[in-house]
């Protein structure tokens, strides 16, 4: 990730050139090329995946620590997107923020499913788990419906133009 960041930072002035974009422009496609702050987004994306892989492989027995670290990483990405709006399309910036909030809420639900939230009886635990599972499914369903609606509207507009 650091090598990618250094490469694009050194070639920042070339980013708007067509020849450079054809060769190595896929990394920042859809992102603003007139702001240096946007160069950090692809690196942040890769670092986040690397941290997730590390957590799964090395801290597999510390589930709560995994969730805390992922919650922090999600918050960092959310703050970055809100502050720098890296995408050219304002809708993509809003969708990214919505996705990060969805991730934060999902992590919170998972946190409640761990042994940290202890209940007094087995029946209470089953009821709480059912409620949390319903919350998680509803959360994901809303996220999917929003994305599908946006895709359908875009497709409808494209068909209308043809």
């Amino acid at each position: 990730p650091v090598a990618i960041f250094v490469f694009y930072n050194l070639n920042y002035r070339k980013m708007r050139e067509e020849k450079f974009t054809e060769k190595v422009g896929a990394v920042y496609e859809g992102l603003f090329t007139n702001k240096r702050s946007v160069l950090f987004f692809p690196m942040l994306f890769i670092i986040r995946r690397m941290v997730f892989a590390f957590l799964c492989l090395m801290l597999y027995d510390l589930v709560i620590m995994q969730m805390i670290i992922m919650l922090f990483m999600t918050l960092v990405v959310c703050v970055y997107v809100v502050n720098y709006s890296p995408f050219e399309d304002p809708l993509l910036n809003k969708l990214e923020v919505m996705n990060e909030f969805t991730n934060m809420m999902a992590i919170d639900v998972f946190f409640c499913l761990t042994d940290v939230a202890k209940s007094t009886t087995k029946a209470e635990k089953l009821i709480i788990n059912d409620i949390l599972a319903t919350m998680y499914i509803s959360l994901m369903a809303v996220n999917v419906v929003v994305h599908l609606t946006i895709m359908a509207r875009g497709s409808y507009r494209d068909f209308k133009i043809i």
Side-chain angles (χ1 to χ4, degrees):
V2 175
I4 293 169
F5 181 71
V6 169
F7 174 77
Y8 283 108
N9 208 8
L10 291 175
N11 294 296
Y12 176 70
R13 295 182 199 276
K14 295 181 185 178
M15 287 177 74
R16 289 179 284 286
E17 294 176 11
E18 188 174 329
K19 194 174 184 180
F20 184 79
T21 303
E22 286 175 8
K23 287 183 181 179
V24 290
V27 173
Y28 60 88
E29 187 176 351
L31 299 172
F32 281 113
T33 56
N34 60 349
K35 297 193 284 187
R36 270 194 198 265
S37 61
V38 172
L39 295 176
F40 189 66
F41 188 75
M43 190 172 103
L44 187 60
F45 182 85
I46 293 169
I47 288 172
R48 188 171 171 192
R49 266 71 187 158
M50 291 173 66
V51 167
F52 180 73
F54 173 80
L55 291 174
C56 290
L57 294 173
M58 301 300 176
L59 301 178
Y60 57 87
D61 55 342
L62 300 171
V63 176
I64 294 170
M65 183 61 69
Q66 288 180 12
M67 285 189 270
I68 291 170
I69 293 170
M70 289 312 297
L71 190 61
F72 174 75
M73 293 295 293
T74 302
L75 186 61
V76 167
V77 172
C78 190
V79 168
Y80 174 81
V81 171
V82 168
N83 281 334
Y84 295 106
S85 299
F87 296 102
E88 292 174 346
D89 185 357
L91 179 63
L92 289 178
N93 288 312
K94 292 174 187 170
L95 280 175
E96 188 66 29
V97 170
M98 183 192 80
N99 289 337
E100 297 308 324
F101 274 114
T102 302
N103 285 342
M104 283 190 270
M105 290 188 290
I107 292 169
D108 289 342
V109 169
F110 292 149
F111 187 75
C112 293
L113 288 169
T114 64
D115 290 336
V116 172
K118 296 183 189 242
S119 57
T120 55
T121 66
K122 190 170 185 167
E124 285 178 347
K125 189 170 185 169
L126 288 173
I127 292 170
I128 291 170
N129 285 353
D130 284 348
I131 292 169
L132 291 171
T134 304
M135 286 174 57
Y136 178 75
I137 291 168
S138 302
L139 182 65
M140 292 302 129
V142 167
N143 192 295
V144 168
V145 167
V146 167
H147 282 81
L148 288 176
T149 302
I150 291 170
M151 287 174 50
R153 287 178 64 192
S155 295
Y156 177 72
R157 253 184 307 213
D158 292 345
F159 284 129
K160 222 170 145 181
I161 293 172
I162 296 173

